[in-house]
């Protein structure tokens, strides 16, 4: 087998036109590393942020944050994986848009046989994100109310199901009636079409004027102010993405005036930085899937050679569920 792998890199930040498919040597794993032959690769908004320069990187650099495949070799000191293991990951550094790679082993997780490679590639970043949103950021109890933006997206459909499985009332937002129907079918209690309705007013109406306990917002600039107005006093705003652009600076006095609100800006990679924590989170996510509480919906598939088209679809909000890159 050739030690060259087709890999998507960028040599400059910009639009989807900067994505470039090249062949690069894979190499052998050193201490603490693993070599993986990918079977499928996940697509996420963080990839767009890195490509555009919103999250700057030293260039040139490969892109992609999650994938699934088979371990081909392990370096010294790696004890939780062996050659031939089925694995999946969402991890730093970027470089998942490739046929094969060598990478740090700590955040690479054994993939149960009951979960396909495509599901594994589609679920790791999004599913682990849902995990920290519901279990590791603030206490969310059965009966609590959560407002979740982009509820028909990759993280959103997992979040809808997660909430349903734990008795949490999830109010979703989405950009069309069809997307709202999808979110409702996956467990959202309500879904607001933000293209035709004022999501803040609708959320207040649904909650009888009380507001929600938690807002989970990956949209950013376009929804931030309205999201704060959806919270009950002492509520928690979790801003975990910037799909519409970064959130402008906010005065702490604003949080006081709107009811002593709390706000946090977490990232997945802080939560999974510790090896044992990452592996535990992954096992709990896999348990949700194998138990049937969460089904991973893959609505778009692109070949690695179609990476620019895949990014364009994601940025145009023309996708639902998860999107993967397929490999021969």
């Amino acid at each position: 087998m050739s030690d060259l792998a087709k890999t998507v890199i960028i040599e400059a930040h910009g639009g989807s036109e900067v994505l470039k498919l090249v062949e690069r040597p894979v190499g052998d794993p050193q201490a603490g590393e693993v070599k993986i032959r990918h079977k499928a690769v996940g697509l996420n908004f963080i990839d767009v942020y890195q490509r555009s320069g919103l999250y700057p990187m030293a260039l040139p650099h490969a892109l992609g944050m999650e994938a699934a495949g088979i371990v081909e070799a392990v370096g010294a000191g790696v004890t939780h994986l062996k050659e031939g293991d089925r694995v999946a990951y969402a991890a730093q550094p970027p470089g998942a848009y490739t046929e094969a790679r060598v990478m740090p082993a700590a955040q690479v997780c054994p993939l149960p046989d009951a979960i396909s490679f495509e599901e594994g590639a589609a679920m790791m970043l999004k599913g682990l994100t849902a995990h920290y949103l519901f279990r590791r950021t603030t206490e969310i109890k059965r009966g609590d109310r959560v407002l979740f933006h982009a509820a028909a997206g990759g993280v959103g459909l997992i979040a809808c199901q997660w909430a349903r499985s734990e008795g949490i009332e999830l109010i979703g937002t989405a950009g069309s009636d069809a997307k709202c129907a999808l979110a409702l079918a996956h467990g959202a209690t309500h879904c607001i079409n933000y293209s035709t309705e004022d999501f803040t007013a609708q959320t207040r109406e649904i909650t009888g004027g009380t507001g929600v306990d938690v807002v989970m917002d990956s949209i950013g600039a376009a929804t931030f102010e309205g999201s704060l107005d959806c919270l009950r006093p002492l509520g928690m705003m979790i801003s975990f993405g910037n799909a519409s652009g970064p959130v402008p600076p906010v005065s702490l006095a604003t949080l006081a005036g709107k009811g002593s609100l709390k706000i946090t800006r977490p990232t997945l990679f802080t939560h999974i930085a510790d090896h044992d924590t990452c592996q535990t989170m992954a096992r709990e996510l896999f348990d949700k899937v194998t138990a049937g509480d969460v089904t991973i919906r893959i609505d778009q598939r692109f070949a690695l050679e179609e990476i620019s088209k895949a990014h364009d679809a994601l940025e145009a909000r023309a996708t639902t569920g998860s999107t993967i890159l397929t490999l021969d």
Side-chain angles (χ1 to χ4, degrees), residues 262-293:
K262 294 166 283 188
I263 186 168
T264 184
R265 177 54 172 97
T267 71
L268 171 63
F269 303 107
T270 307
H271 284 277
I272 64 172
D274 175 72
H275 166 77
D276 290 339
T277 300
C278 177
Q279 299 296 323
T280 297
M281 289 173 66
R283 285 193 295 270
E284 292 176 358
L285 171 61
F286 296 150
D287 287 347
K288 282 280 190 190
V289 174
T290 56
D293 290 336

Side-chain angles (χ1 to χ4, degrees), residues 90-252:
Q92 301 275 18
Y97 291 178
T98 185
E99 295 173 314
R101 71 182 296 196
V102 169
M103 65 180 292
Q107 280 69 43
V108 178
C109 305
L111 183 67
D113 290 342
I115 299 176
S116 72
F117 288 119
E118 289 198 347
E119 289 170 323
M123 72 185 283
M124 291 301 287
L125 194 145
K126 303 167 194 69
L128 291 172
T129 296
H131 184 292
Y132 84 68
L133 289 172
F134 283 96
R135 291 196 174 170
R136 293 178 54 84
T137 304
T138 190
E139 183 182 11
I140 304 176
K141 308 179 299 299
R142 180 173 294 273
D144 281 354
R145 288 165 164 164
V146 171
L147 176 66
F148 197 101
H149 291 296
V155 180
L157 291 184
I158 294 173
C160 289
Q161 296 174 83
W162 196 295
R164 178 173 60 188
S165 74
E166 299 194 348
I168 296 161
E169 182 179 337
L170 187 144
I171 302 169
T173 74
S176 70
D177 289 344
K179 286 187 175 183
C180 282
L182 192 59
L184 291 168
H186 283 74
T189 311
H190 311 274
C191 195
I192 302 162
N193 181 346
Y194 62 74
S195 295
T196 59
E197 297 179 291
D198 180 333
F199 74 81
T200 304
Q202 287 296 309
T203 299
R204 284 287 172 181
E205 182 175 329
I206 289 167
T207 61
T210 303
V212 296
D213 300 282
V214 179
V215 174
M216 300 176 179
D217 187 348
S218 65
I219 302 301
T223 51
F224 182 78
E225 288 292 336
S227 293
L228 292 181
D229 290 332
C230 292
L231 284 164
R232 64 162 175 80
L234 306 177
M236 168 66 85
M237 170 72 171
I238 307 174
S239 176
F240 70 102
N242 319 277
S244 66
V247 174
V250 59
S251 168
L252 294 180

Side-chain angles (χ1 to χ4, degrees), residues 269-328:
F269 303 107
T270 307
H271 284 277
I272 64 172
D274 175 72
H275 166 77
D276 290 339
T277 300
C278 177
Q279 299 296 323
T280 297
M281 289 173 66
R283 285 193 295 270
E284 292 176 358
L285 171 61
F286 296 150
D287 287 347
K288 282 280 190 190
V289 174
T290 56
D293 290 336
V294 171
T295 299
I296 305 303
R297 182 182 175 117
I298 302 169
D299 285 345
Q300 297 80 213
R301 291 173 171 83
F302 296 90
L304 196 61
E305 292 79 4
E306 298 177 300
I307 186 60
S308 294
K309 184 178 176 182
H311 270 233
D312 289 342
L314 189 63
E315 287 187 276
R317 301 187 189 180
T319 64
T320 55
S322 295
T323 302
I324 62 167
L325 305 175
T326 58
L327 302 166
D328 293 334

